[in-house]
Amino acid sequence: MSSSHRARLSAVAAATLIALSASALPAQAVAAEPGSPTAPAPVAAPLTGHGLDRAALRGSLDAFHKAGMYGAYSAVRDGSAQWRGATGWADVDTRRPTRPDLEHRVGSITKTFTAVAVLQQAGAGRIDLDAPIGRYLPDVVPGERGRQVTVRMLLNHTSGIPDYVLPAFPGIIENPGKALDENRLRHIAPEELARLGLAAPPVAERGKHSYSNTNYILAGLLLERVTGQKAEAYITRNVIRKAGLRHTYFPSSPSIKGPHAKMYESFFGLIDPPRDYSVTDMSWAGTAGALVSTTSDLNDFYRKLLGGRLLGPAELREMKTTVPAHETQPGEEPMMRYGLGIYTLKMPSGGWYWGHDGAVFGAGTWALSTEDGRRQVAIGYNLMKYQRFDEQGRPLPDPITEALYAHVDGALAGAPAPALGVAPQRAQELPGLPGLPIGPDTLHQASLR
């Protein structure tokens, strides 16, 4: 690789990392609609009711592997009917195959769990969503920010507080492999992550949507201050166990407890060959993205959440009150809106779905459901930032992302997904396309989605 090409790739990585984990959001900050900082999400009927086409699901998942993804595992539901599948390799050296029940680092899907915990405390009267965060954490968020940023702004990413990931991994743009290897087993306290984020240069005005992991580290510290418990312990007892999830947990060591795939990070070709980061101290992600889960557990979680079994009706309405998650032309409908730890997204086949995505180094996840939780898909995969760019830093054709999108959209619609035919120059027009620099939690993904 020429030095000039590497420099351009580093510039691309830097631009996307600044918007890290932007959950299907374009890189730019997004203003809330005039006169209404939040609004109910649009209502549209999902294109379901076709049952589970198991052959089509099998075929589209295998196509994801054939397109270049190392390995993937997916769970799809339509009411009580279920399909689970796996494709490709859990270990590219030994050719150990993937399995549908593998545990997986789910990245920013953790944010939905953290938001549920905060909303539970709001329902109990211990947290006011529209109170300034400085009321609860005056020592952590002092001054004007403490007075002006509300709890709601943390949860819907309109706080204007920058992300901490770049400063937490010094040198990651210049030499990502070295930076990740040197920090693989480093433990970082949440207070330090919050300090790094609060000290970083601002990238958006307060009141504009700008995805930041720092918001959810602060939400975890808020939980600790209000409940008197470690945030992870509170979420485990009151969200994970309440949902009856058996394979979802905050890791207590750098290793995943159960059977899992290796998790390969490419960093847009700057780590070549891609390197396994399945053993990593996840304190750097905390309540913003450290959870381990399975695809079946994720479907269980979102079905119970959307069905009103984890939150009261008022709190669930608050969670589903959204802001536009990307800029549009006047009169144009946003294709994605972000609520409190959950988003709603319009897929190419026309349906609107609720959920979140996640990305950590080496592992990507996406979970979406119909509003009633009846039709669902959750998918995990183990090669990240596989996208490639030309000498000018423009995205090259990306069959892996197209295959991922086809599987997810087809699983939700209950019919084969329409061919995307995404030309590189059109990539920025497709909010919600995972794996692209603008896609769900992709780098915008260099770390967590």
Side-chain angles (χ1 to χ4, degrees):
M1 181 185 299
S2 70
S3 59
S4 61
H5 192 194
R6 187 179 182 88
R8 290 189 182 96
L9 279 177
S10 295
V12 169
T16 52
L17 265 167
I18 288 171
L20 237 167
S21 307
S23 351
L25 317 181
Q28 65 270 28
V30 183
E33 293 177 351
S36 176
T38 57
V43 177
L47 302 181
T48 59
H50 301 289
L52 296 181
D53 186 336
R54 299 171 190 274
L57 292 169
R58 174 79 265 166
S60 64
L61 188 62
D62 285 342
F64 186 32
H65 172 55
K66 291 173 183 175
M69 178 51 59
Y70 287 170
Y73 14 94
S74 175
V76 183
R77 294 181 181 177
D78 185 20
S80 60
Q82 301 188 45
W83 176 88
R84 297 196 305 163
T87 190
W89 313 118
D91 185 325
V92 297
D93 294 322
T94 67
R95 289 296 196 260
R96 172 169 61 93
T98 57
R99 294 168 19 191
D101 61 346
L102 293 181
E103 293 183 354
H104 188 74
R105 299 195 189 279
V106 301
S108 286
I109 288 176
T110 306
K111 291 179 173 66
T112 312
F113 288 75
T114 300
V116 169
V118 172
L119 286 162
Q120 287 175 346
Q121 290 296 301
R126 300 186 186 96
I127 292 175
D128 180 347
L129 294 176
D130 295 308
I133 188 60
R135 175 186 298 180
Y136 306 100
L137 298 172
D139 51 330
V140 180
V141 193
E144 181 186 3
R145 269 184 176 151
R147 295 188 296 271
Q148 299 297 325
V149 172
T150 66
V151 175
R152 186 188 302 277
M153 288 176 177
L154 296 178
L155 298 183
N156 68 12
H157 297 292
T158 60
S159 70
I161 295 173
D163 200 286
Y164 62 78
V165 175
L166 272 177
F169 290 88
I172 192 169
I173 297 303
E174 296 76 17
N175 192 333
K178 182 174 183 287
L180 293 182
D181 288 346
E182 289 180 347
N183 291 281
R184 182 194 292 265
L185 301 180
R186 174 187 173 201
H187 186 83
I188 312 177
E191 292 81 2
E192 174 65 7
L193 297 175
R195 185 192 68 78
L196 291 172
L198 290 164
V203 296
E205 297 176 8
R206 187 180 308 119
K208 292 184 177 181
H209 184 98
S210 181
Y211 194 94
S212 171
N213 292 299
T214 311
N215 290 322
Y216 274 76
I217 295 298
L218 291 170
L221 293 172
L222 168 64
L223 277 173
E224 293 188 1
R225 193 65 58 91
V226 169
T227 66
Q229 306 174 43
K230 286 292 185 184
E232 290 86 350
Y234 179 87
I235 294 168
T236 298
R237 294 189 188 100
N238 296 280
V239 182
I240 295 171
R241 290 181 183 168
K242 185 173 181 179
L245 308 182
R246 297 183 178 182
H247 302 283
T248 300
Y249 56 91
F250 285 97
S252 57
S253 77
S255 298
I256 296 174
K257 292 189 302 186
H260 61 278
K262 288 189 173 183
M263 299 176 183
Y264 297 93
E265 180 60 48
S266 173
F267 216 96
F268 305 120
L270 293 175
I271 301 177
D272 187 20
R275 205 168 297 168
D276 171 31
Y277 289 100
S278 55
V279 177
T280 299
D281 187 313
M282 292 302 295
S283 61
W284 70 270
T287 50
L291 273 180
V292 173
S293 190
T294 64
T295 54
S296 292
D297 263 16
L298 292 179
N299 282 340
D300 281 345
F301 170 67
Y302 280 105
R303 179 170 286 186
K304 289 174 181 177
L305 172 61
L306 294 168
R309 296 171 64 182
L310 302 180
L311 291 172
E315 289 69 49
L316 187 57
R317 281 194 301 273
E318 293 282 14
M319 176 171 253
K320 292 165 66 177
T321 299
T322 61
V323 296
H326 61 97
E327 290 182 351
T328 62
Q329 297 299 317
E332 185 178 56
E333 177 187 49
M335 302 299 287
M336 177 184 166
R337 302 181 63 93
Y338 200 97
L340 306 186
I342 195 170
Y343 59 65
T344 184
L345 177 69
K346 187 176 183 180
M347 298 293 277
S349 55
W352 283 89
Y353 303 95
W354 288 94
H356 213 286
D357 60 283
V360 297
F361 300 112
T365 319
W366 203 11
L368 292 175
S369 301
T370 54
E371 188 161 19
D372 60 3
R374 178 178 178 83
R375 188 82 183 205
Q376 301 181 284
V377 61
I379 185 170
Y381 45 99
N382 69 341
L383 172 64
M384 295 306 291
K385 292 176 284 302
Y386 48 78
Q387 300 83 3
R388 295 295 182 265
F389 301 84
D390 66 15
E391 290 285 347
Q392 285 69 48
R394 295 172 300 199
L396 294 171
D398 183 2
I400 300 178
T401 294
E402 290 213 26
L404 170 59
Y405 214 82
H407 176 74
V408 171
D409 198 15
L412 291 166
L420 293 177
V422 181
Q425 64 270 23
R426 291 192 57 240
Q428 298 300 318
E429 301 171 18
L430 292 168
L433 197 58
L436 290 175
I438 62 162
D441 222 18
T442 298
L443 206 67
H444 280 302
Q445 262 193 33
S447 74
L448 288 182
R449 186 187 108 49

